[in-house]
Amino acid sequence: MRNNELLSGISDLLDQKLQPLQDRLQHVEDELQIVKDSVQHVEDELHIVKNELHIVKGELQTVKSELQIVKGELQTVKDELQTVKDELQTVKDELQTVKDELQVVKDNQHQMKLYQENIIMPQLNNITSCYTSTYDRYRLYSDKMEAVFADVDLLKKTVSAHSEKLQKLA
């Protein structure tokens, strides 16, 4: 055997022994490529997620700004509500004052009604009865008054005539 044949035999033997290693290495390289592809896919998705996160971050900033505006408006509404509450309390106080004054007026009215019922009405009834009785008397004697006037005229004429006669005699 010659060196070339020996070398060729060793080379064949090494090729046979190395073939499983090459197959395994090829398998590892294939799997490494799959892993690389997966890593690239994850990196691509991570880039997409980063972009989306950036968009969400911008939107979140917008929402924060709008929320700050809403907070300001809410504070304004709270302040206005407090003002309305204060004004309402003032109105309630004034209404209570009016109610108290109205009660005083009602009490006075009640006292006036009692005074009217117990003092004024009996006196008015007394005055009415006096005037009524006087009226009735005058009404009953009104037709007699004409006769009295006629009698007074006659009496005047008689007294005048008698006075003239007495003066002539004297």
Side-chain angles (χ1 to χ4, degrees), residues 50-60:
K50 281 182 178 180
N51 288 338
E52 289 176 356
L53 183 60
H54 183 68
I55 291 169
V56 168
K57 193 174 181 182
E59 290 173 353
L60 182 61

Side-chain angles (χ1 to χ4, degrees), residues 27-169:
H27 180 70
V28 168
E29 285 178 350
D30 291 342
E31 286 185 6
L32 182 61
Q33 187 59 43
I34 291 171
V35 168
K36 282 182 177 180
D37 291 343
S38 292
V39 167
Q40 184 61 42
H41 181 71
V42 167
E43 285 177 349
D44 292 344
E45 292 209 3
L46 181 62
H47 183 68
I48 291 170
V49 168
K50 281 182 178 180
N51 288 338
E52 289 176 356
L53 183 60
H54 183 68
I55 291 169
V56 168
K57 193 174 181 182
E59 290 173 353
L60 182 61
Q61 190 61 36
T62 303
V63 168
K64 280 183 178 180
S65 299
E66 290 173 355
L67 183 60
Q68 195 62 34
I69 292 169
V70 169
K71 281 183 178 178
E73 291 173 353
L74 181 61
Q75 186 60 44
T76 302
V77 169
K78 283 181 178 179
D79 294 343
E80 289 174 355
L81 182 60
Q82 186 60 43
T83 302
V84 168
K85 282 181 178 179
D86 294 343
E87 290 173 355
L88 182 60
Q89 186 59 44
T90 302
V91 168
K92 283 181 177 179
D93 294 343
E94 290 174 358
L95 183 59
Q96 186 59 45
T97 302
V98 168
K99 283 181 177 179
D100 294 343
E101 291 173 355
L102 182 60
Q103 187 60 44
V104 169
V105 169
K106 284 181 176 180
D107 292 344
N108 286 342
Q109 181 186 17
H110 181 72
Q111 291 297 326
M112 290 296 290
K113 283 183 177 181
L114 288 176
Y115 184 79
Q116 181 181 354
E117 182 181 329
N118 294 325
I119 305 295
I120 295 176
M121 287 310 293
Q123 289 178 358
L124 188 59
N125 287 337
N126 186 24
I127 292 170
T128 302
S129 69
C130 288
Y131 276 110
T132 303
S133 67
T134 302
Y135 168 76
D136 287 342
R137 266 185 287 138
Y138 285 137
R139 188 176 47 85
L140 291 175
Y141 292 108
S142 67
D143 54 339
K144 293 179 182 177
M145 288 301 284
E146 290 178 20
V148 168
F149 287 133
D151 288 346
V152 168
D153 280 340
L154 182 61
L155 186 59
K156 281 183 187 177
K157 289 179 186 174
T158 305
V159 168
S160 278
H162 285 178
S163 286
E164 283 178 19
K165 287 180 184 178
L166 283 174
Q167 274 184 356
K168 285 182 187 177
L169 287 175

